[in-house]
mmCIF file of all heavy atoms in Angstrom:
data_model
loop_
_atom_site.group_PDB
_atom_site.id
_atom_site.type_symbol
_atom_site.label_atom_id
_atom_site.label_comp_id
_atom_site.label_asym_id
_atom_site.label_seq_id
_atom_site.Cartn_x
_atom_site.Cartn_y
_atom_site.Cartn_z
ATOM 1 N N GLY W 206 16.030 -30.896 14.628
ATOM 2 C CA GLY W 206 15.638 -31.028 13.149
ATOM 3 C C GLY W 206 16.215 -32.338 12.685
ATOM 4 O O GLY W 206 15.562 -33.030 11.816
ATOM 5 N N GLY W 207 17.471 -32.549 13.043
ATOM 6 C CA GLY W 207 18.213 -33.796 12.490
ATOM 7 C C GLY W 207 17.441 -35.156 12.934
ATOM 8 O O GLY W 207 17.296 -35.977 12.130
ATOM 9 N N ILE W 208 17.128 -35.124 14.324
ATOM 10 C CA ILE W 208 16.495 -36.289 14.816
ATOM 11 C C ILE W 208 15.151 -36.520 14.096
ATOM 12 O O ILE W 208 14.793 -37.653 13.708
ATOM 13 C CB ILE W 208 16.347 -36.147 16.289
ATOM 14 C CG1 ILE W 208 17.690 -36.218 17.010
ATOM 15 C CG2 ILE W 208 15.522 -37.254 16.807
ATOM 16 C CD1 ILE W 208 17.750 -36.088 18.447
ATOM 17 N N SER W 209 14.257 -35.426 14.049
ATOM 18 C CA SER W 209 13.062 -35.593 13.460
ATOM 19 C C SER W 209 13.194 -36.016 11.993
ATOM 20 O O SER W 209 12.370 -36.834 11.413
ATOM 21 C CB SER W 209 12.148 -34.267 13.540
ATOM 22 O OG SER W 209 12.810 -33.233 12.899
ATOM 23 N N GLY W 210 14.078 -35.307 11.328
ATOM 24 C CA GLY W 210 14.304 -35.732 9.927
ATOM 25 C C GLY W 210 14.751 -37.224 9.688
ATOM 26 O O GLY W 210 14.355 -37.859 8.736
ATOM 27 N N TYR W 211 15.548 -37.670 10.673
ATOM 28 C CA TYR W 211 16.056 -39.079 10.528
ATOM 29 C C TYR W 211 14.963 -40.112 10.740
ATOM 30 O O TYR W 211 14.721 -41.024 9.986
ATOM 31 C CB TYR W 211 17.042 -39.322 11.676
ATOM 32 C CG TYR W 211 17.285 -40.796 12.040
ATOM 33 C CD1 TYR W 211 18.225 -41.465 11.173
ATOM 34 C CD2 TYR W 211 16.784 -41.490 13.030
ATOM 35 C CE1 TYR W 211 18.495 -42.884 11.359
ATOM 36 C CE2 TYR W 211 17.008 -42.751 13.359
ATOM 37 C CZ TYR W 211 17.791 -43.522 12.428
ATOM 38 O OH TYR W 211 18.097 -44.811 12.627
ATOM 39 N N PHE W 212 14.023 -39.856 11.702
ATOM 40 C CA PHE W 212 12.865 -40.694 11.979
ATOM 41 C C PHE W 212 11.983 -40.597 10.716
ATOM 42 O O PHE W 212 11.254 -41.633 10.360
ATOM 43 C CB PHE W 212 12.236 -40.469 13.111
ATOM 44 C CG PHE W 212 12.870 -41.036 14.395
ATOM 45 C CD1 PHE W 212 13.566 -40.110 15.349
ATOM 46 C CD2 PHE W 212 12.916 -42.380 14.555
ATOM 47 C CE1 PHE W 212 14.178 -40.712 16.432
ATOM 48 C CE2 PHE W 212 13.637 -42.919 15.645
ATOM 49 C CZ PHE W 212 14.233 -42.106 16.545
ATOM 50 N N GLU W 213 11.675 -39.364 10.139
ATOM 51 C CA GLU W 213 10.866 -39.391 8.952
ATOM 52 C C GLU W 213 11.424 -40.180 7.775
ATOM 53 O O GLU W 213 10.736 -40.707 7.054
ATOM 54 C CB GLU W 213 10.655 -37.767 8.750
ATOM 55 C CG GLU W 213 9.771 -37.575 7.534
ATOM 56 C CD GLU W 213 9.587 -36.067 7.214
ATOM 57 O OE1 GLU W 213 10.091 -35.314 7.997
ATOM 58 O OE2 GLU W 213 8.874 -35.820 6.264
ATOM 59 N N ASP W 214 12.721 -39.954 7.514
ATOM 60 C CA ASP W 214 13.329 -40.733 6.448
ATOM 61 C C ASP W 214 13.262 -42.138 6.637
ATOM 62 O O ASP W 214 13.061 -42.928 5.760
ATOM 63 C CB ASP W 214 14.660 -40.286 6.274
ATOM 64 C CG ASP W 214 14.939 -38.795 5.772
ATOM 65 O OD1 ASP W 214 13.972 -38.333 5.270
ATOM 66 O OD2 ASP W 214 16.010 -38.118 5.942
ATOM 67 N N LYS W 215 13.504 -42.700 7.872
ATOM 68 C CA LYS W 215 13.406 -44.016 8.159
ATOM 69 C C LYS W 215 12.092 -44.618 8.007
ATOM 70 O O LYS W 215 11.840 -45.720 7.499
ATOM 71 C CB LYS W 215 13.728 -44.304 9.730
ATOM 72 C CG LYS W 215 14.082 -45.712 10.026
ATOM 73 C CD LYS W 215 14.490 -45.857 11.374
ATOM 74 C CE LYS W 215 14.843 -47.261 11.796
ATOM 75 N NZ LYS W 215 13.595 -48.203 11.697
ATOM 76 N N LEU W 216 10.903 -43.776 8.369
ATOM 77 C CA LEU W 216 9.644 -44.170 8.111
ATOM 78 C C LEU W 216 9.340 -44.352 6.552
ATOM 79 O O LEU W 216 8.663 -45.270 6.292
ATOM 80 C CB LEU W 216 8.670 -43.186 8.784
ATOM 81 C CG LEU W 216 7.275 -43.746 9.177
ATOM 82 C CD1 LEU W 216 7.270 -44.872 10.147
ATOM 83 C CD2 LEU W 216 6.537 -42.562 9.653
ATOM 84 N N GLU W 217 9.856 -43.445 5.840
ATOM 85 C CA GLU W 217 9.652 -43.447 4.305
ATOM 86 C C GLU W 217 10.323 -44.711 3.835
ATOM 87 O O GLU W 217 9.843 -45.394 2.878
ATOM 88 C CB GLU W 217 10.189 -42.286 3.725
ATOM 89 C CG GLU W 217 9.383 -40.953 4.023
ATOM 90 C CD GLU W 217 10.097 -39.832 3.367
ATOM 91 O OE1 GLU W 217 11.310 -39.972 2.952
ATOM 92 O OE2 GLU W 217 9.424 -38.730 3.171
ATOM 93 N N GLU W 218 11.548 -45.059 4.306
ATOM 94 C CA GLU W 218 12.234 -46.246 3.779
ATOM 95 C C GLU W 218 11.484 -47.572 4.263
ATOM 96 O O GLU W 218 11.393 -48.458 3.335
ATOM 97 C CB GLU W 218 13.616 -46.356 4.492
ATOM 98 C CG GLU W 218 14.513 -45.257 3.848
ATOM 99 C CD GLU W 218 15.925 -45.225 4.615
ATOM 100 O OE1 GLU W 218 16.084 -46.207 5.593
ATOM 101 O OE2 GLU W 218 16.743 -44.377 4.293
ATOM 102 N N ASP W 219 10.974 -47.492 5.364
ATOM 103 C CA ASP W 219 10.086 -48.861 5.782
ATOM 104 C C ASP W 219 8.926 -48.931 5.001
ATOM 105 O O ASP W 219 8.520 -49.948 4.728
ATOM 106 C CB ASP W 219 9.790 -48.614 7.253
ATOM 107 C CG ASP W 219 11.068 -48.749 8.272
ATOM 108 O OD1 ASP W 219 12.060 -49.263 7.811
ATOM 109 O OD2 ASP W 219 10.805 -48.276 9.397
ATOM 110 N N GLU W 220 8.319 -47.777 4.653
ATOM 111 C CA GLU W 220 7.075 -47.755 3.781
ATOM 112 C C GLU W 220 7.405 -48.309 2.474
ATOM 113 O O GLU W 220 6.577 -49.073 1.752
ATOM 114 C CB GLU W 220 6.449 -46.420 3.825
ATOM 115 C CG GLU W 220 5.102 -46.242 3.058
ATOM 116 C CD GLU W 220 4.076 -46.925 3.933
ATOM 117 O OE1 GLU W 220 4.372 -47.141 5.223
ATOM 118 O OE2 GLU W 220 3.060 -47.324 3.475
#
Side-chain angles (χ1 to χ4, degrees):
I208 292 175
S209 61
Y211 166 77
F212 281 109
E213 185 178 354
D214 292 341
K215 189 174 184 302
L216 201 60
E217 288 178 348
E218 292 174 5
D219 293 343
E220 190 69 17

